[in-house]
Amino acid sequence: MPSMVFISHSSKDRETADAICAHLASAGIKCWIAPRDIEPGATWTKGIMQGLEACRVLILIFSEHANDSDHVQREVAKAFSSGLAVIPFRIKDVLPDQSLSYFLDTVQWLDAYAPPLQKHLGALSERVKKLLIDETTHKQPARLGPERISVSRLPITGSDVFGREEDLAFLDDAWANQHINVVTIVAWGGVGKSTLVNHWLRRMAAEHYRSAELVFGWSFYRQGSSGGTSSADEFLDATLAWFGDPDPRIGTAWEKGERLAKFIAHRRTLLVLDGLEPLQNPPGSQEGRLREPSLQALLRELAAFNAGLCVITTRMPVADIADHEGTSALRRNLEQLSGDAGAKLLRAHGVKGEEVELRSASDEFSGHCLALTLLGSYLSDAYNGDIRCRGEVSGRLAHDVRLGVHAQKVMESYQTWFGEGPELSVLRMLGLFDRPADEKAIGALLKSPRIPGLTESLTDLRPTEWRTILAKLRRARLLAGEDPHNPGCLDAHPLVREYFGEQLRSQQTNAWKECSRRLYEYYRTLAPELPDSLREMEPLFLAVVCGCNAGLFRAALNEVYIPRIQRGNANFAANGVGARGALLSVLAHFFEQGQWGSIVGTDAEEQSLSGEDQLFILMQAGQYLTATRGFAAPEAQICYERVASLCHSLHLSRPLYVALVGQWRNSLMTEKLTATMQIAERFYSLMQEQNDEALMLGAYRTLAVTFYFLGDFESSRQNAMRGAQIWRSGGVQSPVGEPITPAVTCSCHQALSEWHLGEIASCQATMAEAITLAKELNDMHALAQALWYAAVLAHYERNPAEVERHSSDLMELSTRQNFATWLAHADVLRGWVRSVRGSTAEGISWIEEGLKDTRTTGVMLTVPFLLALKSEALHLAGRTAEALEAIREGDALVQRFENRYWSAELHRLRGVFLAAKGDDETQIEASFSAAISTAREQKSISLEKRAEGTYAEYRRQKASASGGRGFRLPLC
């Protein structure tokens, strides 16, 4: 039996922890304390978990530092979930924060904040001895079932599963394994993910949920994987409230996600998240990444620590927890049903015939669960269950099951069998929704006057007639079972909604538009006039989507999007709520499907978009595409090209400015910098003609940035200072809207250039000014840029602590705001910090992931610098040959794109690595010579001093060497 006492403490309270440990040891009480007792080779987290498993009592050394320590909170949570006795030993007169008070409110404290500490240690040791004695003689009564259960929000599915024994065993094993925190069930639509998990939950319920303290389920059940706005905000508020959060409204989305993770992870909780794909990015550069920062924070935290288990169903793996896959996070790819299992499913739905025929039918439908379910119901209804009559359906099947083609063919047969009656009308109405349709929304569609071709057979029905129609659809498995928690709410499988919704849109266009018009009116009156949160704003997003579907483009833009969602020029939904991804989904409905830059047209003159309207939409789309998909996003460039064309025809200068900046930025990220400089100079000349200080500020910014990356630091500083001076003088009365405020960019490049020019003291103050300005302007994209450059400046100064601080802030901000480029860059910087602190394997992994994501965004400008960071990490890991390869790759990119701002360092690092290998002396000398001459040519005093210092150290070691090969030169 365990007999030790675990001492939980913040590293800032280490002295007190050591004193307590020594006192208890002198009293014959064995203690476990980190880092002393972590076994060699074990990670910190694994060591802590092993220590807790060996103990019966936990002493929490409580101070303000404990409140701030994630490790302390996880240790306390694990202690409670494992049944350890807990003694809070308070050494400072402070109260526990919300996360700790959740556990400690009912525990007796020992207050020890009145000095000296020694007088309190006797009482502590007596309390520990008593608890250890009580533990040997007293057992807690067994608890039957969880304290609370909420699974009503999970989809209603069939009760039987076939051929899923191994999948059910996988879930059983995951629940029993305390080291598994998250499992993901992945499969295409209709394969049976939700049915499998519901069946497993019923088995768990039959056994009182096998020690679970809390059980909570939620479905993000939506149409397809590319829906518009998500229900993440609704989920967050409801879940925080259920778990006991006093005010779910407090905090950013990211902070709410972290807070929810603590509520969940600190108990033996079973959390089920069904149908996560609407909140994930579709296939592409960010495939599988969560679009919602609250969910990103929640799942990352749960993957790192969770006393219970989170079960996710989705159509694609969750990229945000990929680092934990195979350890604390497991993925199960759900396969199609076998022939035997498919045959059993068909028999369960009343299909009759020879076993070989049933297996053959299962194979013809590729074992697709939904398709076989619908087939079974259809054959039972239409052909008395005769399997031989399946030819009408199976003869028209395609081979691709990913998009539910097999299920669609069965629905076609049902459509023929129903005829043009009320059943089809109900299904087509459900196709208008990307979620369960509430009773009031259905009522808006069914009210008088009737919608020709759709609701004639549904209006003025008696309740019994309406229920009869629904019962028929439920018997056919085309409509989900009635939800007792949401009476009157109608739902269907996403594939069913997609199929009949597309029919309504393409074959009954007038009915589709009238339905959309009614829903536009319904949703725009449902929200507050000026919503303050994403949850309150969601009906307005839906109103714009429905308005566009109805052809009410001008009304949707000028009555809802501009005044109520964005609040005019304030861009409230983006800057105040951080809903850039949702805004893009809404804006997409103003464009021809899948064609950014092609504004949709309409025959109704009163609803057509004016030239100014089109410019506004294009600039909004360009701005948010740049923010979420990266500076080199081709879709953003398409929008800006269209803006430029419209500006010339409308003779507008400010929108033209935004378009030209977009073209300059794309060139900066993807082309030779000499071509970029030509654009910058032309842009400067055009802006001089406008006599507008705001435009000149932007022009100086383009020159400052381009000169900097070309390696002309003096010219960069001059232009940056001119731009900053315009801003400080108050000459910019009406700033031009673009992704990043130019004044912040000017200050950043002024600071970086000052560092190169040897003005170290002033560069720090200038960078701090850039960060402050971005915060004052509430410009999150500018703040991300400033944090990136602050971290880069800290790297220039070889200050890992500052690099980590800024890159951590950048990572959190970029995750919250969905900034793809900055998030990838933050990964590389944090990887570099890990490497210089000794964790090279982890660090290199971070760096390589960040480089891969950077390249995916199309940005090439910063890659040579990122490769230099990678080379340092590889060298520190003893992989110097690979470090040289990274340098060669960086040099090749410099030659291709002319981004020479870090060339001197690439030459110097090559010399360091060649010297470490003991390579040819001529090459080593040439590398250092090139580093020094390049720095001098660029007037980079700081890099010149660094290169000369490294070269001097090389010559010193060489002079004192006794014939050995290889030199250990500093990386800085």
Side-chain angles (χ1 to χ4, degrees):
M1 289 289 294
S3 59
M4 289 195 293
V5 173
F6 187 100
I7 300 180
S8 175
H9 66 285
S10 163
S11 59
K12 295 179 181 178
D13 295 324
R14 175 72 181 277
E15 185 177 342
T16 302
D18 286 340
I20 291 173
C21 184
H23 177 84
L24 293 177
S26 68
I29 300 171
K30 189 176 181 182
C31 296
W32 194 103
I33 188 169
R36 182 193 72 183
D37 296 317
I38 294 179
E39 296 179 0
T43 65
W44 185 277
T45 301
K46 183 178 180 181
I48 293 294
M49 293 302 108
Q50 290 173 338
L52 284 164
E53 290 168 4
C55 295
R56 296 212 315 255
V57 175
L58 178 140
I59 296 174
L60 166 62
I61 300 176
F62 182 74
S63 68
E64 69 275 19
H65 305 309
N67 270 336
D68 296 334
S69 172
D70 287 339
H71 283 297
V72 167
Q73 294 188 10
R74 290 172 179 173
E75 289 160 8
V76 171
K78 177 66 175 176
F80 272 89
S81 67
S82 301
L84 274 66
V86 175
I87 304 173
F89 190 73
R90 179 157 37 195
I91 62 172
K92 292 290 180 67
D93 189 10
V94 294
L95 295 174
D97 69 4
Q98 186 173 299
S99 297
L100 283 174
S101 65
Y102 182 77
F103 298 101
L104 302 178
D105 281 350
T106 59
V107 178
Q108 184 179 358
W109 291 68
L110 271 178
D111 287 332
Y113 46 81
L117 174 70
Q118 205 66 28
K119 73 177 184 180
H120 303 286
L121 296 183
L124 176 63
S125 60
E126 289 302 313
R127 174 82 67 84
V128 170
K129 288 177 181 178
K130 183 176 186 303
L131 285 171
L132 290 175
I133 293 171
D134 289 347
E135 280 289 309
T136 63
T137 59
H138 175 71
K139 288 186 178 180
Q140 294 290 330
R143 174 173 44 82
L144 286 178
E147 296 172 17
R148 299 181 69 200
I149 302 171
S150 175
V151 292
S152 62
R153 293 180 178 90
L154 293 175
I156 297 173
T157 62
S159 58
D160 296 322
V161 297
F162 302 90
R164 297 299 188 196
E165 291 76 15
E166 292 183 4
D167 303 306
L168 291 167
F170 166 80
L171 289 169
D172 287 339
D173 292 343
W175 176 253
N177 188 337
Q178 61 181 332
H179 300 298
I180 303 303
N181 300 340
V182 179
V183 297
T184 310
I185 308 295
V186 180
W188 289 101
V191 173
K193 305 180 293 293
S194 301
T195 302
L196 170 71
V197 171
N198 276 345
H199 185 84
W200 180 67
L201 284 174
R202 282 190 287 272
R203 292 193 352 176
M204 291 281 286
E207 301 175 41
H208 305 291
Y209 287 98
R210 304 178 196 169
S211 80
E213 298 175 53
L214 300 165
V215 179
F216 188 87
W218 186 277
S219 180
F220 303 98
Y221 203 57
R222 308 289 296 279
Q223 179 172 315
S225 60
S226 58
T229 58
S230 74
S231 54
D233 200 58
E234 179 188 356
F235 159 76
L236 206 65
D237 287 355
T239 310
L240 279 169
W242 193 85
F243 278 93
D245 189 273
D247 191 348
R249 298 171 298 175
I250 294 176
T252 64
W254 181 270
E255 291 163 348
K256 290 179 182 179
E258 288 184 323
R259 199 160 77 240
L260 178 57
K262 290 175 181 176
F263 279 118
I264 293 170
H266 292 168
R267 304 285 298 276
R268 182 75 166 143
T269 303
L270 175 56
L271 174 69
V272 179
L273 302 179
D274 175 78
L276 193 62
E277 61 270 8
L279 285 82
Q280 294 175 265
N281 281 304
S285 60
Q286 298 291 306
E287 179 172 347
R289 286 193 182 277
L290 288 159
R291 292 195 292 252
E292 297 292 334
S294 56
L295 269 295
Q296 291 170 349
L298 171 65
L299 293 186
R300 288 183 182 184
E301 289 293 314
L302 291 181
F305 171 77
N306 190 4
L309 182 69
C310 174
V311 179
I312 299 168
T313 70
T314 177
R315 294 188 187 183
M316 64 187 82
V318 182
D320 302 80
I321 58 173
D323 289 345
H324 298 276
E325 263 199 14
T327 53
S328 61
L330 301 182
R331 171 162 38 114
R332 182 78 170 181
N333 294 320
L334 203 61
E335 303 296 334
Q336 308 286 5
L337 295 179
S338 67
D340 286 345
K344 291 178 182 177
L345 186 154
L346 289 170
R347 285 199 186 280
H349 287 288
V351 179
K352 307 165 188 173
E354 298 293 332
E355 186 69 16
V356 65
E357 288 261 33
L358 293 171
R359 291 181 185 174
S360 178
S362 176
D363 293 340
E364 289 167 15
F365 283 78
S366 299
H368 191 271
C369 185
L370 176 63
L372 290 172
T373 299
L374 294 176
L375 176 68
S377 298
Y378 175 68
L379 291 176
S380 295
D381 283 344
Y383 295 103
N384 197 31
D386 191 343
I387 190 62
R388 294 172 298 178
C389 297
R390 71 185 185 279
E392 175 207 329
V393 181
S394 62
R396 296 179 283 123
L397 288 179
H399 294 293
D400 188 356
V401 300
R402 292 179 299 171
L403 299 179
V405 173
H406 293 69
Q408 291 175 14
K409 297 304 178 184
V410 185
M411 287 186 273
E412 286 179 12
S413 298
Y414 254 125
Q415 184 175 343
T416 303
W417 189 63
F418 281 142
E420 289 295 330
E423 295 82 8
L424 284 186
S425 294
V426 171
L427 293 172
R428 286 167 181 162
M429 281 198 309
L430 289 182
L432 292 159
F433 300 89
D434 64 356
R435 65 199 72 203
D438 67 76
E439 193 170 15
K440 290 182 180 179
I442 293 291
L445 298 175
L446 293 178
K447 70 180 182 180
S448 296
R450 301 174 180 181
I451 301 174
L454 184 66
T455 65
E456 295 99 331
S457 60
L458 296 175
T459 308
D460 300 327
L461 288 176
R462 293 193 301 273
T464 54
E465 293 174 317
W466 175 251
R467 288 196 295 269
T468 299
I469 295 168
L470 300 185
K472 190 172 182 180
L473 291 171
R474 286 183 174 125
R475 191 167 58 250
R477 303 299 194 274
L478 291 167
L479 191 66
E482 187 170 8
D483 185 351
H485 302 281
N486 296 288
C489 196
L490 300 182
D491 196 15
H493 193 282
L495 293 178
V496 176
R497 285 194 258 116
E498 287 171 358
Y499 175 80
F500 289 103
E502 175 58 25
Q503 270 199 355
L504 182 63
R505 188 191 67 80
S506 60
Q507 298 176 18
Q508 295 173 273
T509 306
N510 291 336
W512 163 268
K513 287 187 174 182
E514 175 58 20
C515 288
S516 298
R517 186 194 65 78
R518 293 188 184 192
L519 291 174
Y520 167 73
E521 296 294 342
Y522 169 72
Y523 285 124
R524 79 188 187 103
T525 57
L526 192 61
E529 182 63 26
L530 293 177
D532 289 321
S533 68
L534 190 59
R535 181 181 184 181
E536 291 181 344
M537 196 173 287
E538 187 160 354
L540 295 185
F541 290 149
L542 293 171
V544 174
V545 171
C546 292
C548 290
N549 289 341
L552 304 175
F553 300 106
R554 186 180 296 180
L557 179 67
N558 293 296
E559 294 177 8
V560 180
Y561 184 88
I562 294 176
R564 299 179 65 186
I565 291 178
Q566 291 289 51
R567 299 189 185 180
N569 294 326
N571 289 327
F572 179 78
N575 297 329
V577 182
R580 289 176 180 82
L583 286 170
L584 269 180
S585 296
V586 169
L587 287 167
H589 289 80
F590 289 102
F591 294 87
E592 298 289 351
Q593 190 169 8
Q595 298 181 49
W596 291 105
S598 298
I599 299 288
V600 69
T602 178
D603 295 332
E605 179 62 30
E606 69 277 6
Q607 286 300 327
S608 63
L609 296 167
S610 67
E612 288 77 6
D613 287 340
Q614 294 182 44
L615 276 176
F616 178 83
I617 292 167
L618 286 162
M619 289 193 293
Q620 289 267 297
Q623 184 172 342
Y624 300 137
L625 285 165
T626 299
T628 58
R629 302 187 185 181
F631 291 115
E635 303 93 337
Q637 182 64 9
I638 291 170
C639 289
Y640 287 130
E641 288 173 356
R642 179 65 180 138
V643 168
S645 175
L646 274 172
C647 285
H648 286 302
S649 63
L650 296 171
H651 307 292
L652 297 173
S653 60
R654 284 205 162 199
L656 177 61
Y657 164 96
V658 174
L660 293 176
V661 168
Q663 293 174 7
W664 164 78
R665 185 178 290 110
N666 184 269
S667 174
L668 181 73
M669 298 296 167
T670 62
E671 298 178 349
K672 279 182 176 288
L673 287 185
T674 49
T676 306
M677 179 55 76
Q678 291 175 1
I679 296 174
E681 290 172 342
R682 173 173 169 266
F683 179 72
Y684 175 76
S685 298
L686 287 171
M687 294 307 106
Q688 278 186 311
E689 300 171 3
Q690 302 302 319
N691 192 30
D692 188 325
E693 292 281 44
L695 305 187
M696 283 306 300
L697 167 57
Y700 283 126
R701 179 272 320 275
T702 61
L703 290 172
V705 173
T706 311
F707 276 125
Y708 178 82
F709 286 106
L710 279 167
D712 187 345
F713 304 121
E714 181 60 50
S715 296
S716 176
R717 180 177 67 166
Q718 289 174 2
N719 283 280
M721 290 177 68
R722 288 168 185 157
Q725 181 57 37
I726 290 175
W727 180 266
R728 294 190 190 103
S729 70
V732 179
Q733 299 301 320
S734 178
V736 180
E738 55 172 300
I740 297 176
T741 303
V744 176
T745 305
C746 284
S747 293
C748 288
H749 284 83
Q750 180 182 337
L752 295 171
S753 298
E754 285 171 344
W755 182 87
H756 280 282
L757 298 171
E759 300 172 13
I760 307 302
S762 64
C763 76
Q764 299 287 355
T766 306
M767 190 63 75
E769 180 184 336
I771 293 174
T772 300
L773 177 59
K775 290 179 179 178
E776 289 175 352
L777 296 172
N778 196 30
D779 187 339
M780 295 298 102
H781 211 156
L783 179 58
Q785 181 193 63
L787 289 171
W788 158 251
Y789 283 129
V792 168
L793 191 61
H795 170 266
Y796 288 179
E797 289 290 287
R798 311 300 291 192
N799 187 339
E802 280 296 284
V803 174
E804 182 172 47
R805 182 170 72 88
H806 290 307
S807 61
S808 295
D809 290 345
L810 175 61
M811 181 171 288
E812 180 175 344
L813 176 66
S814 298
T815 303
R816 287 177 180 172
Q817 300 290 336
N818 198 18
F819 294 150
T821 300
W822 299 127
L823 183 60
H825 282 41
D827 284 347
V828 177
L829 283 175
R830 292 190 74 183
W832 178 82
V833 171
R834 297 288 192 279
S835 297
V836 298
R837 287 180 171 170
S839 301
T840 53
E842 181 186 6
I844 291 169
S845 175
W846 275 88
I847 290 171
E848 289 178 339
E849 184 69 21
L851 267 166
K852 182 188 76 173
D853 289 345
T854 297
R855 288 190 172 101
T856 299
T857 66
V859 171
M860 300 307 299
L861 181 70
T862 53
V863 173
F865 173 72
L866 302 181
L867 286 168
L869 298 184
K870 179 181 178 180
S871 73
E872 292 184 31
L874 289 167
H875 176 66
L876 291 169
R879 297 159 60 180
T880 304
E882 294 174 66
L884 280 166
E885 183 56 39
I887 293 295
R888 280 191 285 272
E889 185 181 352
D891 273 336
L893 289 174
V894 170
Q895 296 302 314
R896 179 180 173 189
F897 294 101
E898 303 171 330
N899 42 353
R900 295 187 287 267
Y901 68 105
W902 209 237
S903 291
E905 269 296 271
L906 291 173
H907 291 309
R908 187 187 70 85
L909 289 171
R910 182 192 292 107
V912 171
F913 302 153
L914 289 172
K917 292 184 65 192
D919 276 7
D920 179 64
E921 184 178 320
T922 305
Q923 292 185 43
I924 298 171
E925 292 276 350
S927 296
F928 288 131
S929 177
I932 294 168
S933 63
T934 300
R936 285 176 180 167
E937 178 186 339
Q938 297 177 343
K939 299 180 182 179
S940 177
I941 296 171
S942 297
L943 290 185
E944 181 183 353
K945 286 181 178 179
R946 184 180 291 179
E948 287 177 337
T950 306
Y951 183 44
E953 177 62 17
Y954 165 69
R955 296 190 65 176
R956 186 192 68 77
Q957 291 188 26
K958 178 182 173 185
S960 62
S962 56
R965 290 175 59 83
F967 300 90
R968 296 181 62 84
L969 300 177
L971 281 174
C972 60

